[in-house]
Amino acid sequence: NTCMVDPTNMHGFNMENMLGKSVNILTDLNTSRVIDVDTVKLIEDRHPIQVQRKYRTNAQAFIPAVHIFATNSMPRLGDESSGALERRVRVFHCNKTITQKTILDYHLGILAREQREIISWAFRGIQRVAENGGYSYPEHLAANARAWEQRDDRVEQFLKSVIDGETNLTLSDTGEIPRTLLRDTYLKWSDTMKCKVSNSDLNRLYDRYPQRKVQGTRYIKGFITKESF
């Protein structure tokens, strides 16, 4: 009861393969294409969506609730990615190579020896979920998702380039910067990096810092540059 749909292909007729499936699993993720974060939101929200079908009437249906992907390197994320992944995605780092035969022998041995304990462990997990009203996750898994998201977050990349001195931004004697200068510097950086600029990026950039208005000019306070250290 599984399907194999790459998250970069979750649109159009490709979604038809997911109808009625419980798990979507793909062990060779396409890392050359960008993942649309809105697709990830659809997975987590668990609302029925309209799925196009070839030569048939479109269907209103759920897509699988569980998606498992494996990749050698983390794929790029599309626009509007900030904050969308931390509570939706769990990133496991696997740094050991185990042959398929070793995995099969290991699993068969565990099942043969620990069958009763495995069932008991499963029931304890069900009880914990019922008591907590939801699943619990180790913090380091959420941290891995945050790190992946920040890697592809344009605002984070811009701020890092300022702190590293790669992007020149001079503060006033009071440690402030006109908001228009911050905006123009970000737009210039985005053009150099060939990044698309959105209003939400600018708003997220402004909202990170306290602001004050003096004679019609808005100033950003608390901004950090390389000279701040």
Side-chain angles (χ1 to χ4, degrees):
N1 196 20
T2 64
C3 56
M4 299 174 60
V5 180
D6 194 291
T8 61
N9 285 332
M10 289 186 183
H11 54 79
F13 294 126
N14 298 319
M15 303 287 284
E16 185 176 3
N17 296 326
M18 306 174 76
L19 295 178
K21 305 300 183 183
S22 299
V23 179
N24 180 38
I25 180 167
L26 190 70
T27 57
D28 189 14
L29 206 60
N30 185 342
T31 57
S32 65
R33 294 163 66 179
V34 175
I35 293 179
D36 183 355
V37 177
D38 284 339
T39 299
V40 180
K41 293 177 182 178
L42 280 177
I43 295 172
E44 194 272 344
D45 289 342
R46 292 297 294 144
H47 290 297
I49 62 173
Q50 183 165 291
V51 178
Q52 295 179 343
R53 299 188 294 176
K54 286 186 178 180
Y55 313 117
R56 301 174 66 185
T57 304
N58 293 348
Q60 195 80 8
F62 291 98
I63 60 176
V66 178
H67 297 255
I68 302 173
F69 304 117
T71 177
N72 291 324
S73 59
M74 300 302 288
R76 292 177 297 133
L77 298 171
D79 300 331
E80 311 296 340
S81 64
S82 181
L85 298 182
E86 184 176 337
R87 69 184 181 87
R88 293 176 167 93
V89 176
R90 297 295 175 258
V91 179
F92 296 83
H93 293 303
C94 303
N95 53 13
K96 292 184 179 180
T97 302
I98 305 176
T99 64
Q100 185 173 357
K101 184 179 185 305
T102 302
I103 293 175
L104 183 61
D105 291 346
Y106 177 78
H107 287 172
L108 290 176
I110 290 293
L111 286 173
R113 294 190 305 270
E114 308 290 347
Q115 213 172 66
R116 180 174 297 179
E117 181 56 30
I118 290 172
I119 295 173
S120 175
W121 170 80
F123 276 109
R124 291 198 301 272
I126 294 171
Q127 183 179 12
R128 185 174 65 250
V129 170
E131 291 173 352
N132 296 340
Y135 294 101
S136 57
Y137 300 99
E139 169 56 27
H140 73 276
L141 298 183
N144 290 342
R146 283 198 299 272
W148 176 31
E149 195 166 25
Q150 289 173 1
R151 186 203 69 178
D152 283 358
D153 188 325
R154 291 184 297 271
V155 172
E156 292 287 346
Q157 292 173 3
F158 168 72
L159 294 175
K160 185 177 185 303
S161 73
V162 173
I163 294 174
D164 292 344
E166 299 170 359
T167 299
N168 184 34
L169 199 58
T170 304
L171 304 181
S172 68
D173 294 338
T174 59
E176 297 174 320
I177 182 174
R179 200 169 85 163
T180 53
L181 177 57
L182 178 61
R183 180 201 62 201
D184 293 344
T185 304
Y186 178 74
L187 293 177
K188 183 178 179 180
W189 174 86
S190 298
D191 185 61
T192 302
M193 300 297 293
K194 294 181 170 52
C195 296
K196 185 176 70 173
V197 178
S198 67
N199 288 332
S200 64
D201 284 345
L202 291 171
N203 290 332
R204 286 194 296 115
L205 183 59
Y206 301 150
D207 291 344
R208 293 174 70 103
Y209 305 98
Q211 301 179 42
R212 70 186 184 103
K213 192 173 183 179
V214 180
Q215 296 180 347
T217 301
R218 290 187 180 275
Y219 290 87
I220 300 288
K221 303 172 61 177
F223 202 85
I224 298 176
T225 68
K226 189 175 183 180
E227 285 69 33
S228 303
F229 297 95

